[in-house]
Amino acid sequence: MEKSLWESILCVRKNAPLVHNITNYVVMNNTANALLAIGASPIMAHAHPEIEEMVTISNAVVINIGTLDEYWCKSMDLAAKKAIELHKPWILDPVGAGATLLRDQTVTSLINYKPTVIRGNASEIMAIAKVSRLQTKGVDSVYQSEEAIEAAQWLNSSTGSIICVSGAVDVIISGKQKVFIQNGHPMMQQVTGLGCTATALIAAFIGNDPSDPFHATASAMCLLSIAGEIAQKNSNGPGSLQMNLLDKLYNITEQEFHNYLKIEVQND
């Protein structure tokens, strides 16, 4: 798998997939810049009259529930429905799932549209699976990703979605396949919205190659975590890390990627 992961990165750079993001106010700029840095093309649009047209011309759709309101909930519903109609891949980021009734209701509604991938932290994944209804801390996780494996497996089997649990170790689950990625750095947790960035990068990779969404998800998560690990070495804190991470997403080399890659693949 290691060699093909880098090939996926090159393909995204070459093909510049268009990613339609319905995402939160906090991360829009970061997300757009990260997509541009890897060679993808971002667009942020949530106006009801243009949602279906945007989905139609896009290669993949991101739905991120970070800053919810009634208007955006309708936008998300329209986008997910159109994506399924057109057989376009779409990725759900259930930010803060389990924190409020509105978030739970929104996630439950969106899951009915069978997202290609659900990416969240351990608390969010466990909340969706109803393992820990009230033990969440806003958008932060109070669990390690490995603690959410059972919940992720249940969610995968019940929805058909690939489940990506991000954390100190990123875990990706689809059927009997599991991937564990042990790259990254703790300082990345101090940069707001890097989980949302991960979701957007997954969309770019799946939009580029919808035939193998599991591999595409692994490629995106490896790229982000390795870029963050390398960027941290030249960063004095979260501010410079954010800048250096964007640069490394843009200029990472094949040698750097393979030198840092720490991935374990399991087939149960």
Side-chain angles (χ1 to χ4, degrees):
M1 174 182 267
E2 286 84 351
K3 183 178 180 180
S4 60
L5 292 171
W6 179 253
E7 292 173 351
S8 294
I9 294 169
L10 295 180
C11 286
V12 169
R13 290 178 178 176
K14 176 182 177 182
N15 297 328
L18 178 62
V19 180
H20 175 199
N21 298 268
I22 301 178
T23 191
N24 67 75
Y25 292 116
V26 179
V27 305
M28 281 190 185
N29 184 67
N30 296 5
T31 299
N33 281 330
L35 285 168
L36 288 169
I38 68 168
S41 181
I43 188 164
M44 278 63 181
H46 59 269
H48 296 171
E50 66 175 359
I51 288 289
E52 293 188 350
E53 291 177 272
M54 286 298 185
V55 174
T56 299
I57 65 173
S58 299
N59 296 103
V61 177
V62 170
I63 296 181
N64 177 308
I65 70 165
T67 49
L68 282 178
D69 65 24
E70 291 82 355
Y71 189 93
W72 281 43
C73 288
K74 177 64 174 180
S75 302
M76 294 170 184
D77 186 79
L78 289 170
K81 183 177 181 180
K82 191 64 176 181
I84 289 301
E85 178 186 324
L86 297 176
H87 305 288
K88 296 282 182 81
W90 77 275
I91 294 79
L92 174 62
D93 193 326
V95 179
T100 68
L101 183 59
L102 174 61
R103 290 178 188 275
D104 288 350
Q105 290 174 335
T106 302
V107 168
T108 299
S109 175
L110 289 170
I111 284 177
N112 289 330
Y113 293 112
K114 304 296 182 184
T116 311
V117 177
I118 301 172
R119 190 224 59 85
N121 63 38
S123 290
E124 291 160 350
I125 296 302
M126 294 171 76
I128 297 172
K130 308 304 180 185
V131 174
S132 64
R133 171 63 183 85
L134 295 176
Q135 296 184 52
T136 186
K137 183 186 174 186
V139 301
D140 298 322
S141 182
V142 295
Y143 297 100
Q144 298 300 312
S145 53
E146 295 93 334
E147 296 178 84
I149 289 177
E150 183 178 351
Q153 289 175 317
W154 179 87
L155 200 56
N156 169 245
S157 64
S158 63
T159 65
S161 305
I162 294 164
I163 308 301
C164 178
V165 190
S166 57
V169 177
D170 298 318
V171 182
I172 305 167
I173 293 176
S174 180
K176 296 182 178 181
Q177 298 181 94
K178 294 189 191 72
V179 163
F180 299 86
I181 303 165
Q182 299 183 42
N183 291 105
H185 190 274
M187 193 190 293
M188 294 174 71
Q189 299 175 15
Q190 305 305 313
V191 179
T192 188
L194 282 189
C196 303
T197 296
T199 300
L201 298 194
I202 290 170
F205 277 80
I206 294 181
N208 182 67
D209 182 15
S211 66
D212 193 348
F214 183 79
H215 184 274
T217 301
S219 300
M221 295 303 295
C222 286
L223 174 58
L224 179 63
S225 58
I226 291 172
E229 186 173 336
I230 297 172
Q232 182 275 332
K233 294 180 180 297
N234 297 314
S235 303
N236 295 319
S240 53
L241 175 59
Q242 186 173 18
M243 177 183 68
N244 291 329
L245 174 57
L246 282 176
D247 286 348
K248 188 49 60 180
L249 287 173
Y250 178 78
N251 63 30
I252 190 169
T253 67
E254 182 177 6
Q255 183 175 352
E256 286 178 316
F257 183 81
H258 288 300
N259 284 348
Y260 279 85
L261 180 63
K262 295 188 286 286
I263 186 172
E264 178 185 352
V265 181
Q266 294 182 3
N267 291 286
D268 297 335

